C-alpha cells in the first residue's frame, strides 16, 4: 500500500468513553506529543466536561511539543471534572507536565518520570537566538513553577531550567506526589473577589478580658486543628496509598476498555 493511501486510512481515536452515572473519558497518550493541532479533540474534551465526569490520562510517552503540553496544563488546571493520570513506564519531558497537571495519580512498579528543560531547533542571527532563549527561559520558569512546585524544590526547578535532568522511579514518584499534594492543599485562592478567601479582618476596640478569651479560644482551636491533622495523617498512612473508590472505578474502566480492544 502506498504512503498516500495509508494517510487516508481512518486514524484510531485516542479517546474511549464509558457512562456510569457521570462520563469517564480515557485519553491515551501513548506516543510522541505532536503539535497542538494534532490534539485538539483531546483538549476540547477536557475543556467541555462537567463536574460529574472523570478524565483519565493514560500516559506513556517520551515527550514532545512543549506548546501542546502547556495547552493540556491550562485545560486540566481549569477542568471541572475530576482528573487522574496513570503514570506509565515512560512519562518524560512534556509528558511529565501533562501527568502532574492532574489532581490524582495511579502508579505501579513500572512507573517512571523524567523532567528536563526544553530544546529548540532555531536558526537566524545570534541576537535573535539570544532573545528567543531568554524569553523561552522566562516562559519555562513560569510553567515549571506552576507544574512542578511541591514536586521539585525551588533549587531543583532552577537546576532543571539550567539543563539538569531528573529521573524518578515508582517509589520516588510516590514520595514526591505526597509532597505535591500537601503543597497544593496549602495554596490559597488568589481571586480577590472570592467570598471564602476575600474576607477582611475587622478591627474594633475590645477589652482585656475579650482579648484573653479570644486568645484562649484561638489556642484551643489551633490544638484541635493539629490533632485532627495528626489523625488524618495517620489515617492516610494506614491506607498505604490506596486509590480512592472513584479512582479505582476509573482505573477498572480503563482496564476493561483495554481488554475489549
Amino acid at each position: 500500500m502506498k504512503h498516500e493511501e495509508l494517510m487516508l486510512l481512518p486514524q484510531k481515536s485516542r479517546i474511549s468513553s464509558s457512562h456510569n452515572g457521570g462520563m469517564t473519558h480515557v485519553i491515551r497518550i501513548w506516543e510522541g506529543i505532536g503539535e497542538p493541532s494534532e490534539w485538539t479533540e483531546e483538549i476540547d474534551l477536557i475543556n467541555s466536561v462537567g463536574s460529574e465526569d472523570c478524565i483519565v490520562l493514560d500516559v506513556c510517552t517520551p515527550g514532545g511539543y512543549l506548546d501542546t503540553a502547556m495547552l493540556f496544563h491550562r485545560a486540566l488546571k481549569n477542568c471541572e471534572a475530576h482528573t487522574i493520570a496513570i503514570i506509565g513506564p515512560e512519562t518524560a519531558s512534556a509528558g511529565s507536565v501533562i501527568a502532574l497537571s492532574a489532581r490524582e495519580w495511579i502508579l505501579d512498579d513500572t512507573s517512571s518520570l523524567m523532567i528536563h528543560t526544553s530544546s529548540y531547533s532555531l536558526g537566524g542571527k545570534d541576537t535573535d537566538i539570544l532573545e528567543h532563549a531568554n524569553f523561552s527561559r522566562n516562559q519555562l520558569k513560569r510553567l515549571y513553577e506552576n507544574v512542578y512546585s511541591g514536586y521539585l524544590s525551588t533549587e531543583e526547578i532552577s537546576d532543571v531550567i539550567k539543563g539538569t535532568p531528573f529521573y524518578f522511579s515508582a517509589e520516588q514518584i510516590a514520595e514526591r506526589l505526597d509532597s505535591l499534594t500537601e503543597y497544593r492543599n496549602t495554596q490559597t485562592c488568589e481571586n480577590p473577589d472570592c467570598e471564602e478567601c476575600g474576607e477582611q479582618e475587622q478591627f474594633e476596640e475590645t477589652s482585656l478580658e475579650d482579648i484573653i478569651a479570644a486568645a484562649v479560644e484561638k489556642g484551643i482551636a489551633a490544638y484541635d486543628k493539629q490533632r485532627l491533622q495528626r489523625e488524618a495523617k495517620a489515617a492516610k498512612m494506614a491506607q498505604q496509598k490506596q486509590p480512592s473508590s472513584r479512582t479505582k472505578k476509573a482505573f477498572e474502566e480503563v482496564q476493561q476498555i483495554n481488554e475489549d480492544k
Side-chain angles (χ1 to χ4, degrees):
M1 186 176 289
K2 296 180 181 179
H3 176 71
E4 292 79 5
E5 294 173 336
L6 286 171
M7 295 295 290
L8 295 175
L9 291 175
Q11 298 297 308
K12 192 173 182 180
S13 176
R14 291 182 286 247
I15 301 173
S16 300
S17 301
S18 61
H19 188 276
N20 193 346
M23 293 294 296
T24 296
H25 305 281
V26 181
I27 301 176
R28 292 184 182 83
I29 306 176
W30 288 358
E31 60 194 82
I33 299 168
E35 296 180 1
S37 59
E38 300 174 20
W39 295 85
T40 54
E41 183 180 1
E42 290 77 12
I43 294 172
D44 285 346
L45 173 64
I46 296 171
N47 284 324
S48 65
V49 291
S51 59
E52 298 300 318
D53 300 326
C54 182
I55 293 288
V56 180
L57 304 161
D58 197 353
V59 187
C60 183
T61 174
Y65 277 69
L66 182 62
D67 288 347
T68 307
M70 293 172 71
L71 291 176
F72 265 99
H73 170 67
R74 184 178 68 185
L76 290 165
K77 185 177 180 180
N78 298 317
C79 183
E80 294 185 7
H82 185 58
T83 56
I84 305 167
I86 303 173
I87 298 180
E90 183 180 26
T91 302
S93 189
S96 72
V97 172
I98 295 173
L100 294 183
S101 296
R103 298 188 180 101
E104 193 174 353
W105 305 272
I106 295 174
L107 307 175
D108 61 27
D109 292 341
T110 68
S111 297
S112 72
L113 192 141
M114 189 272 278
I115 299 172
H116 70 167
T117 192
S118 59
S119 59
Y120 305 93
S121 297
L122 184 65
K125 302 190 299 294
D126 59 349
T127 53
D128 293 339
I129 295 174
L130 178 62
E131 289 297 325
H132 181 271
N134 288 334
F135 176 81
S136 297
R137 176 162 290 193
N138 289 330
Q139 188 179 37
L140 273 178
K141 184 175 184 294
R142 288 193 296 271
L143 173 66
Y144 285 4
E145 286 175 346
N146 283 331
V147 176
Y148 298 132
S149 289
Y151 187 90
L152 297 177
S153 68
T154 302
E155 293 76 14
E156 288 172 333
I157 292 174
S158 178
D159 289 341
V160 168
I161 296 172
K162 292 176 182 177
T164 302
F166 286 83
Y167 297 84
F168 301 94
S169 66
E171 294 79 7
Q172 293 169 326
I173 296 171
E175 293 178 2
R176 297 272 182 153
L177 288 179
D178 283 345
S179 299
L180 177 60
T181 300
E182 291 178 6
Y183 171 81
R184 289 181 176 175
N185 288 340
T186 63
Q187 300 306 293
T188 57
C189 178
E190 297 179 356
N191 181 4
D193 297 323
C194 178
E195 294 181 359
E196 296 181 1
C197 305
E199 295 180 358
Q200 299 296 319
E201 185 177 1
Q202 300 296 320
F203 295 94
E204 58 183 10
E205 187 174 341
T206 56
S207 66
L208 178 60
E209 290 77 8
D210 290 337
I211 293 174
I212 294 174
V216 171
E217 183 179 355
K218 184 176 180 181
I220 294 173
Y223 173 81
D224 289 340
K225 182 178 179 180
Q226 291 177 355
R227 177 176 56 80
L228 292 173
Q229 288 176 340
R230 288 194 298 270
E231 292 175 354
K233 186 175 182 180
K236 181 180 178 181
M237 293 178 64
Q239 291 176 356
Q240 294 296 316
K241 305 185 191 305
Q242 291 296 320
S244 66
S245 58
R246 186 175 185 180
T247 302
K248 287 181 180 178
K249 181 185 290 185
F251 189 43
E252 290 169 357
E253 290 176 356
V254 174
Q255 292 178 315
Q256 185 61 50
I257 291 171
N258 289 337
E259 291 173 0
D260 294 341
K261 287 192 174 289

